[in-house]
Amino acid sequence: MEPTEENEKSMTKAKKMTKRSKREEYIEKLSAQLKKWDTELEELEDKSEKQVEKMKAGFAKRMEALKTSRDQLREKMHRLEEVGEAAFSDLRKDAEKLWKDTKKGFEALRKELKK
């Protein structure tokens, strides 16, 4: 059987359809992957927002503790200004301990924020 013009057109059309099918399959595959990644990105975004909120809450709590320590130290300083030499020694020991603890708290928070 000799190829006719009509047969050649049919074969060319079939080849185009096969190529088109492969193209469509590829596009569908790509589309499915993109949808999957969209969902995954949304989930990761939600998780990261929760982590950020936890971190903020933790830092806020630590900042509040540092403010309290600072205020207590300021109060000790005012008391040191008011007391005589006899009470100064005992009050100074308390102030020194509070000073060290407050300093450690500030250093730890600074170090963590630099990460």
Side-chain angles (χ1 to χ4, degrees):
M1 202 182 200
E2 226 175 276
T4 64
E5 190 176 316
E6 192 174 305
N7 284 345
E8 284 182 24
K9 284 182 182 179
S10 291
M11 289 173 56
T12 305
K13 189 176 179 181
K15 285 181 183 178
K16 283 183 182 178
M17 285 180 66
T18 303
K19 285 183 181 178
R20 184 171 177 226
S21 294
K22 287 181 182 180
R23 182 180 66 87
E24 287 175 355
E25 285 176 20
Y26 184 74
I27 290 170
E28 285 176 16
K29 181 180 173 181
L30 224 92
S31 178
Q33 183 62 58
L34 288 170
K35 286 179 185 177
K36 183 180 176 183
W37 282 339
D38 287 343
T39 303
E40 190 173 344
L41 281 170
E42 287 175 15
E43 290 170 359
L44 290 170
E45 194 171 76
D46 288 344
K47 286 180 182 180
S48 70
E49 286 175 9
K50 289 176 185 175
Q51 290 288 18
V52 167
E53 289 304 315
K54 284 181 185 178
M55 287 176 63
K56 278 184 179 180
F59 281 122
K61 186 177 179 180
R62 290 170 66 188
M63 293 284 284
E64 208 49 48
L66 284 173
K67 288 177 183 179
T68 300
S69 291
R70 178 205 56 199
D71 293 345
Q72 289 173 347
L73 192 55
R74 183 171 284 126
E75 186 180 315
K76 292 272 186 204
M77 182 188 72
H78 291 306
R79 289 184 61 207
L80 283 167
E81 292 171 337
E82 296 170 357
V83 299
E85 288 295 320
F88 172 77
S89 181
D90 290 336
L91 205 53
R92 181 180 174 179
K93 288 177 187 174
D94 291 343
E96 286 290 326
K97 182 181 180 337
L98 188 55
W99 186 331
K100 284 181 183 179
D101 292 345
T102 304
K103 185 178 176 181
K104 284 180 186 176
F106 271 99
E107 289 170 352
L109 192 57
R110 268 191 229 110
K111 184 178 179 181
E112 189 132 353
L113 287 173
K114 285 184 181 181
K115 288 182 181 179

